[in-house]
Amino acid sequence: MRQSEDPEDSDTQEESSIMRFRTIVGDMPGRINMRLQTKLTVATILLLGLTLYSQQGNSDYQYALIEAVKQKNLGNLSGAMELYNLVLEENDSVAVAHYEIGTLYAVTGNYEKAVNHLKRAHELDPDIKWYLDAYIDGLLVQEEFRKAKKVLKERIKRCFECKDQWYRLANVYFLAERSRKALKVLEKMEKRWGLSDKITLLKVNIYEDRGEFKKALDELEKIIEFVPESLEIRVVAAELALKSNDKDLAADYYEGVLELDSMNIYALTNLTDYYREKGELSRSFSYLNKSFESDEIDYERKIAILSFYFSDENLIREQEVAMRELIQTMIRKYKGKDEIHLIATDFFINRRDYNEALFAIKPLLKSNEKRYELWRQGILLANTTEEYEEMLVIGDKGCKIFPDSIELYYFKGIAEWELGEYEKLINTFSNERILKANDRDMASQMRMMVAESYYQLEQHDKSDSIFRSIIRNEPVNYLVLNNFSYYLSIRGECLAEAEEYSRIAIMNNPENGTFLDTYAWVLYKSGDYEEAERYIMKALEHGGQNSPVINEHAGDIHWKMGSTELARKYYQKAIILGGDKNNLIRKLEKLSEVYEE
């Protein structure tokens, strides 16, 4: 604080200063914007300490200086600036106050005032590096290159070994578009201190700016030779080679990068593009797949890349294996993301790989429970792949979410049939649900499976009643006619009715081996062995030769006809085809006993 010439006025003067300080602090907002809050720098602490130590006795403005630093750190920049101005009004020689207020003016965009204060701080204490650096930065923002150069040269004269200031001088020349001067400074530095990444990269920037790419790359090669494990330098060299349109050289550099870091994202993505442009698609996709393993490419970008590639059907056909690898990588990495599972499901369906499609869609059924089309697609895929247990799981859950979907109930019932869950099927295909089926064929299938389920449960009265009802309503349902007549023949009941139904079926399907076998068996059960033989031979001619059941029936009929050798032949063939071995062996043994007699 300036001292009053009149000692008697000193108390009044000091009181006035303190009141001004308190007024400034009192006006500060109670809530500070926390986003502006900064940490107190080590430099500020040290400089403040030195200032206070060298200027003991000025407790009034020293207190203001400390409070200014606190307010700056709290984000109250305007309050801090007022306090710094108060300090400087009392003592214009406080370098740290000039430095701090200069940086605050720079932050607020008032570069003219910022440079004036930073210049003053540097003049007051020219050996403090922070003051010099801040002053130079301010001059460069103002494009005061001449002044910056002059200040740096003066500093270098005082400290010839200050390598940082040599480097800053070279950078000032470069910014001032005096690249020759900048290069000369950097070459002097290399002669004095040897190679360094910092010097080399600035020389590279200068040569690149001049369009002298070969010289820039030569500089980088010095570092690569000296420090072959320098990953960053190889990346810079590759990018520089790309700018010079030497893509082959860039690829060589990127390959070198991958030798040091196999997951370097810059190398992977650039090599992906390089080999795609060269038409080496397999190699391109190999690098792309590796890049998909990285988190440095965000998920949305990967989805966009996949969508682009999958829009080209010709490319998919040519690179199907590579596309599969991309899909599998994405599914493995992003199990909870819907988009990748949707893309994968469509991809595998289009490739008719329904097992993979089912695997891809399953997570969607957990996360998108209200999207009916997903449930429909999932249960259809399970049906196509004969994954009946999975089909039943999807059906059970889907029917709870969509209780009005007869379609889901229908496929759930098919799964129950295939798994032998006959009682569950009968409950699933209740009369109410069958009546709600809009599709006539679906309703017919549901009624038939209910009848078949009752038959499997040996509730023949119920199954017979339903079969007869279906035949009355659907007289051309040849499958029901065939199955019901066969079941009657197995039981040896209502054989005339069975023969009538079976005859209708074969009259309209004369080359259906299964239907012909049924008719032969009804005739056999009725004791008409000659006709039975005629129709069983027709059944064998129309695909029955590969059926163990039809071959066994042929053996039974020929046995009754006295053709024991033919009977033996058909029994043996039935065993080979996978028929009931124990039963067939017993028949062969009995046949041998008869033959011996």
Side-chain angles (χ1 to χ4, degrees):
M1 178 183 292
R2 293 175 298 205
Q3 298 296 318
S4 171
E5 293 181 2
D6 186 349
E8 292 181 1
D9 294 334
S10 62
D11 290 340
T12 304
Q13 184 76 16
E14 182 174 350
E15 181 180 358
S16 174
S17 297
I18 292 172
M19 287 299 292
R20 286 173 62 202
F21 163 70
R22 287 176 178 167
T23 300
I24 293 168
V25 175
D27 290 339
M28 293 174 188
R31 295 178 63 84
I32 304 299
N33 186 340
M34 297 306 292
R35 286 180 294 179
L36 295 176
Q37 184 175 350
T38 58
K39 295 290 185 182
L40 184 63
T41 63
V42 174
T44 302
I45 295 172
L46 292 174
L47 291 169
L48 184 57
L50 289 170
T51 301
L52 298 179
Y53 178 76
S54 63
Q55 298 177 358
Q56 294 288 337
N58 299 315
S59 59
D60 48 359
Y61 77 76
Q62 290 171 6
Y63 184 54
L65 192 61
I66 293 171
E67 186 63 28
V69 173
K70 287 170 61 178
Q71 294 305 318
K72 173 188 172 183
N73 293 330
L74 290 171
N76 185 6
L77 303 187
S78 60
M81 291 172 75
E82 287 190 62
L83 288 167
Y84 284 128
N85 276 318
L86 175 61
V87 170
L88 293 173
E89 285 177 13
E90 300 300 325
N91 187 346
D92 188 57
S93 298
V94 181
V96 68
H98 282 290
Y99 169 75
E100 289 291 336
I101 198 170
T103 58
L104 291 177
Y105 275 125
V107 168
T108 57
N110 193 337
Y111 296 112
E112 185 176 351
K113 286 189 175 181
V115 169
N116 289 336
H117 282 286
L118 294 170
K119 177 183 178 182
R120 179 67 174 145
H122 172 61
E123 289 172 347
L124 288 168
D125 204 338
D127 292 324
I128 299 295
K129 181 179 182 299
W130 300 297
Y131 296 173
L132 174 63
D133 288 344
Y135 179 35
I136 294 297
D137 288 340
L139 290 172
L140 293 180
V141 170
Q142 296 286 81
E143 297 188 356
E144 297 280 356
F145 301 121
R146 285 180 177 273
K147 288 183 180 179
K149 178 186 68 173
K150 182 179 178 182
V151 172
L152 286 168
K153 283 186 173 181
E154 290 173 356
R155 174 63 177 166
I156 290 169
K157 284 179 183 177
R158 292 196 307 274
C159 180
F160 197 78
E161 296 300 319
C162 292
K163 185 164 62 172
D164 284 351
Q165 305 313 324
W166 281 88
Y167 180 82
R168 295 210 71 178
L169 178 61
N171 201 38
V172 168
Y173 277 125
F174 178 41
L175 293 173
E177 298 183 355
R178 300 186 65 185
S179 58
R180 288 180 180 274
K181 286 276 190 180
L183 288 169
K184 283 184 179 180
V185 172
L186 293 171
E187 285 164 5
K188 285 181 181 179
M189 291 181 69
E190 281 186 337
K191 287 179 182 178
R192 188 167 189 83
W193 290 292
L195 287 173
S196 81
D197 292 358
K198 193 174 182 180
I199 295 171
T200 297
L201 289 174
L202 182 53
K203 289 176 76 176
V204 168
N205 286 339
I206 294 169
Y207 283 126
E208 182 183 353
D209 185 66
R210 291 159 61 109
E212 298 177 11
F213 300 112
K214 178 67 169 62
K215 288 184 178 180
L217 285 168
D218 288 344
E219 291 295 328
L220 290 174
E221 282 293 344
K222 292 178 187 177
I223 298 294
I224 292 173
E225 184 179 355
F226 186 68
V227 189
E229 69 277 9
S230 178
L231 185 69
E232 292 78 9
I233 296 297
R234 289 179 186 272
V235 171
V236 172
E239 292 175 353
L240 194 58
L242 284 176
K243 289 181 180 179
S244 66
N245 291 320
D246 193 342
K247 294 182 179 180
D248 293 340
L249 180 59
D252 289 341
Y253 279 122
Y254 281 127
E255 295 283 6
V257 168
L258 290 181
E259 290 178 8
L260 298 171
D261 176 10
S262 64
M263 290 301 293
N264 184 277
I265 198 62
Y266 300 106
L268 291 172
T269 52
N270 279 283
L271 288 171
T272 296
D273 294 339
Y274 172 74
Y275 285 112
R276 186 181 68 247
E277 290 174 9
K278 288 192 71 174
E280 297 183 30
L281 295 178
S282 295
R283 200 164 181 182
S284 174
F285 275 113
S286 174
Y287 286 117
L288 180 62
N289 189 44
K290 264 192 142 182
S291 72
F292 273 25
E293 295 278 4
S294 171
D295 291 325
E296 292 189 51
I297 302 178
D298 61 40
Y299 172 74
E300 287 73 20
R301 178 62 180 155
K302 292 173 185 175
I303 290 295
I305 292 170
L306 278 181
S307 299
F308 172 76
Y309 280 123
F310 289 169
S311 65
D312 188 339
E313 186 60 34
N314 291 329
L315 183 62
I316 293 175
R317 281 196 296 270
E318 292 174 11
Q319 298 295 323
E320 183 173 336
V321 173
M323 297 286 199
R324 285 175 179 271
E325 289 177 357
L326 287 178
I327 285 285
Q328 287 160 356
T329 295
M330 289 290 284
I331 288 177
R332 184 173 61 253
K333 192 168 179 62
Y334 302 104
K335 288 182 180 178
K337 299 285 190 179
D338 291 353
E339 295 94 337
I340 184 56
H341 287 280
L342 286 169
I343 290 173
T345 301
D346 289 342
F347 173 80
F348 289 123
I349 288 175
N350 289 334
R351 306 263 66 77
R352 298 187 180 182
D353 189 342
Y354 301 121
N355 285 295
E356 287 293 340
L358 177 61
F359 176 77
I361 203 173
K362 280 163 62 175
L364 290 169
L365 302 182
K366 296 177 181 177
S367 61
N368 293 286
E369 293 187 350
K370 298 300 181 183
R371 296 177 62 179
Y372 177 74
E373 276 305 310
L374 292 177
W375 290 93
R376 181 177 184 274
Q377 190 69 73
I379 206 164
L380 286 172
L381 286 169
N383 183 49
T384 302
T385 55
E386 299 182 358
E387 294 287 343
Y388 297 117
E389 290 185 2
E390 188 65 41
M391 187 175 172
L392 187 55
V393 170
I394 295 171
D396 278 335
K397 191 173 181 182
C399 288
K400 291 176 183 176
I401 299 169
F402 306 100
D404 294 328
S405 172
I406 301 303
E407 188 177 33
L408 289 180
Y409 278 106
Y410 173 69
F411 285 104
K412 176 177 178 284
I414 290 175
E416 289 164 342
W417 168 260
E418 295 292 344
L419 296 171
E421 300 280 357
Y422 304 119
E423 291 181 353
K424 288 184 179 179
L425 181 147
I426 292 167
N427 181 61
T428 297
F429 290 165
S430 65
N431 286 331
E432 181 183 354
R433 293 196 182 109
I434 292 173
L435 291 172
K436 284 183 178 179
N438 293 325
D439 187 295
R440 186 174 179 179
D441 289 338
M442 181 187 291
S444 176
Q445 286 285 328
M446 293 167 76
R447 281 194 293 268
M448 187 176 73
M449 280 193 280
V450 170
E452 295 278 358
S453 295
Y454 277 124
Y455 179 81
Q456 295 297 328
L457 294 170
E458 297 185 359
Q459 297 182 36
H460 297 145
D461 289 345
K462 290 182 178 179
S463 65
D464 291 355
S465 175
I466 296 172
F467 277 130
R468 288 188 173 104
S469 174
I470 295 172
I471 291 170
R472 282 195 303 273
N473 293 306
E474 303 173 39
V476 293
N477 191 327
Y478 303 118
L479 182 60
V480 170
L481 288 167
N482 175 78
N483 289 3
F484 185 41
S485 58
Y486 184 68
Y487 295 151
L488 290 174
S489 68
I490 291 292
R491 287 154 44 199
E493 298 176 4
C494 305
L495 293 177
E497 183 183 9
E499 184 179 347
E500 179 186 354
Y501 293 152
S502 183
R503 185 172 63 255
I504 294 171
I506 64 168
M507 284 175 61
N508 290 278
N509 301 273
E511 295 184 353
N512 187 310
T514 301
F515 288 7
L516 289 165
D517 171 66
T518 297
Y519 191 58
W521 197 243
V522 171
L523 293 170
Y524 171 81
K525 285 285 192 169
S526 300
D528 192 346
Y529 303 127
E530 289 185 3
E531 281 296 290
E533 181 189 19
R534 188 160 73 90
Y535 280 99
I536 200 67
M537 297 309 291
K538 284 185 178 183
L540 290 166
E541 290 170 7
H542 291 90
Q545 69 273 16
N546 296 318
S547 166
V549 172
I550 295 177
N551 275 276
E552 183 178 355
H553 287 170
D556 291 342
I557 291 169
H558 281 99
W559 189 354
K560 286 291 185 180
M561 294 289 293
S563 302
T564 54
E565 285 304 316
L566 279 174
R568 186 187 308 280
K569 168 189 164 185
Y570 287 117
Y571 288 150
Q572 289 172 340
K573 188 174 180 181
I575 291 173
I576 293 169
L577 291 170
D580 186 342
K581 187 175 181 180
N582 293 331
N583 179 50
L584 289 163
I585 287 174
R586 283 195 296 271
K587 288 185 177 182
L588 284 168
E589 289 173 349
K590 288 183 180 179
L591 195 62
S592 296
E593 291 173 5
V594 171
Y595 183 77
E596 288 173 1
E597 291 176 0

